[in-house]
Amino acid sequence: MTFIRKTLAAAAACTATLACAAPIKVGLMLPATGTYSALGQAIENGFKLYVAEQGGKIGGREIEYVKVDDESDPSKATDNVNKLIKRDHVDVIVGTVHSGVAMAMAKAAKDSGTLLIVPNAGAEAITGPMCAPNIFRSSFSNWQPGYAMGEVAAKKGYRKVVTITWKYAAGDESVAGFKEAFEKNGGQVVKELTLPFPGVEFQALLTDIAATKPDAVYSFFAGGGAVKFVKDYAAAGLNKTVPLLGAFITDGTLEAQGAAAAGVLTTLHYADGLNTPRDKAFRLAYAKTYKLQPDVYAVQGYDAAQILAIGAKATAGDLSKTAAFAAAVEKARIDSPRGPFTLSKSHNPVQDIYLRQVVGAENQAIGIASKALADPSRGCRQ
Ligand code: BEZ
């Protein structure tokens, strides 16, 4: 069939069914309050930007949004996601930021068969033991940036590192990824410091770091908590003596962190200064629409909409056709502002991880820390 005949056939198939004539109901379950609220907003902005670029339609259907503030609170996650599935009967759920909340969402999606696209949370279980044909991630696994930084730190010749993070899945897994690569390459994690999410009482832990005198510190924090951590690290004078490494600690936060973040090295799947035509076009469109510069979270939201569009096109807008949706997404090369990426069998991005350094208000790309890095997806059976 020619391309034009195929497109006409798909459109006819879709308009012939009642379901396809109605809008796609997208359940946006993101944090609108708390330390991750800015991340949720950036994801929503990115998602809506891609939809707007498609003329407001995905798979030939209009889009209708139903929103839930998940507050980054795992104890409310099952109730919140069930509102979207059982009360609102959404066609697809897009969410969320916090790994603990996302794991409850993945369970509900798996049990109900509802399509789920995760636009941030890196919980390894989602593309590990909980992996499923109807669950996709447009972001990363917590292991990926951590592992890449473990290799960077070892190459830099650091031997003794202290880690510091929030005590929940994202922090634990980010540190475990770092430790795996760092210790495989001759380094040693001498102390693992934690505090409860979303706490910001860093003082005692910073005093401990000063007394331990490691070669470097590896950290995972994000959003409002990351702003405070990086500022407190500098206020304690540690930025002059112990290099600070991390993942997410300088994303969407640099204006608030100011000089305290200067020179910080991080690893991530997006960066400023990529200078590709694709990224430049995205950044221009985002800045025009929202009067803001995009960050990694905006890119992940944008790419969640791209994944939805690829699957919806292949199913002529019928999102209940899970196998056809998954088959199309699995063979796609997603044209992301971060650079093109594919999804693994477990539906996690296989992507380049950049090494970035803070210069002024930017996370400048200074190299590729790990090329086409795939999460091991331990425990995924599909
Ligand atoms: C997480 O909980 O998985 C997460 C939250 C913020 C940034 C990155 C990861």
Side-chain angles (χ1 to χ4, degrees):
M1 230 193 278
T2 64
F3 174 74
I4 294 174
R5 284 179 65 193
K6 261 191 203 163
T7 310
L8 288 175
C14 188
T15 45
T17 68
L18 213 60
C20 290
I24 295 179
K25 258 195 179 185
V26 177
L28 285 180
M29 183 160 153
L30 294 166
T33 49
T35 201
Y36 287 163
S37 59
L39 289 61
Q41 186 61 59
I43 289 168
E44 181 176 338
N45 289 349
F47 190 94
K48 289 184 169 171
L49 177 62
Y50 185 78
V51 172
E53 286 176 356
Q54 312 315 304
K57 284 190 175 181
I58 296 288
R61 297 170 65 184
E62 304 279 348
I63 302 290
E64 179 187 324
Y65 295 98
V66 184
K67 288 176 31 168
V68 170
D69 174 8
D70 68 42
E71 304 169 50
S72 296
D73 184 346
S75 74
K76 298 182 182 163
T78 302
D79 280 353
N80 279 330
V81 72
N82 279 331
K83 277 184 210 151
L84 293 173
I85 296 172
K86 296 183 181 160
R87 183 193 67 190
D88 301 321
H89 303 289
V90 298
D91 299 296
V92 53
I93 302 170
V94 176
T96 188
V97 170
H98 184 288
S99 274
V101 177
M103 282 192 276
M105 295 171 72
K107 178 166 184 336
K110 202 171 158 120
D111 290 350
S112 64
T114 312
L115 183 59
L116 170 66
I117 305 176
V118 179
N120 183 70
E124 286 165 23
I126 293 171
T127 52
M130 301 175 88
C131 73
N134 59 317
I135 300 179
F136 302 84
R137 181 150 54 196
S138 64
S139 52
F140 62 95
S141 76
N142 292 318
W143 179 92
Q144 285 176 306
Y147 188 87
M149 185 52 97
E151 290 188 327
V152 169
K155 268 194 210 125
K156 283 189 152 304
Y158 300 142
R159 284 295 165 262
K160 279 191 339 177
V161 164
V162 170
T163 62
I164 179 167
T165 189
W166 280 314
K167 183 84 203 131
Y168 83 104
D172 290 347
E173 293 173 359
S174 181
V175 163
F178 174 85
K179 191 172 171 178
E180 184 182 330
F182 187 53
E183 297 202 334
K184 204 192 301 182
N185 289 285
Q188 196 193 353
V189 170
V190 292
K191 207 170 251 183
E192 297 182 32
L193 302 174
T194 59
L195 72 166
F197 175 86
V200 289
E201 301 308 319
F202 300 116
Q203 257 348 296
L205 302 176
L206 295 175
T207 304
D208 195 340
I209 291 171
T212 307
K213 297 192 175 61
D215 298 332
V217 165
Y218 175 75
S219 56
F220 164 84
F221 295 104
V227 171
K228 174 125 190 332
F229 173 69
V230 169
K231 285 179 119 177
D232 285 4
Y233 195 88
L238 282 167
N239 60 338
K240 302 274 184 307
T241 52
V242 186
L244 180 59
L245 315 174
F248 294 98
I249 58 172
T250 55
D251 286 273
T253 55
L254 284 171
E255 279 188 18
Q257 287 163 335
V264 170
L265 282 181
T266 52
T267 39
L268 214 60
H269 47 288
Y270 188 57
D272 294 309
L274 293 180
N275 258 330
T276 58
R278 181 71 180 97
D279 190 42
K280 279 198 214 158
F282 165 74
R283 290 173 84 98
L284 190 65
Y286 192 93
K288 260 194 186 161
T289 309
Y290 301 110
K291 317 286 174 249
L292 280 173
Q293 286 305 312
D295 55 21
V296 65
Y297 308 108
V299 171
Q300 294 169 171
Y302 188 83
D303 292 341
Q306 292 213 63
I307 289 173
L308 179 62
I310 290 164
K313 186 173 173 205
T315 57
D318 185 348
L319 300 185
S320 67
K321 291 185 173 157
T322 304
F325 186 103
V329 174
E330 282 171 20
K331 60 173 195 282
R333 185 173 179 269
I334 296 154
D335 186 19
S336 172
R338 76 187 82 174
F341 72 90
T342 54
L343 288 189
S344 65
K345 267 308 253 177
S346 68
H347 298 167
N348 192 66
V350 178
Q351 57 192 341
D352 293 347
I353 306 292
Y354 300 101
L355 176 61
R356 305 110 42 90
Q357 183 158 40
V358 175
V359 180
E362 295 203 326
N363 286 296
Q364 279 290 336
I366 58 172
I368 294 181
S370 201
K371 186 101 196 117
L373 186 64
D375 178 79
S377 296
R378 295 165 184 133
C380 172
R381 311 252 169 278
Q382 71 174 7

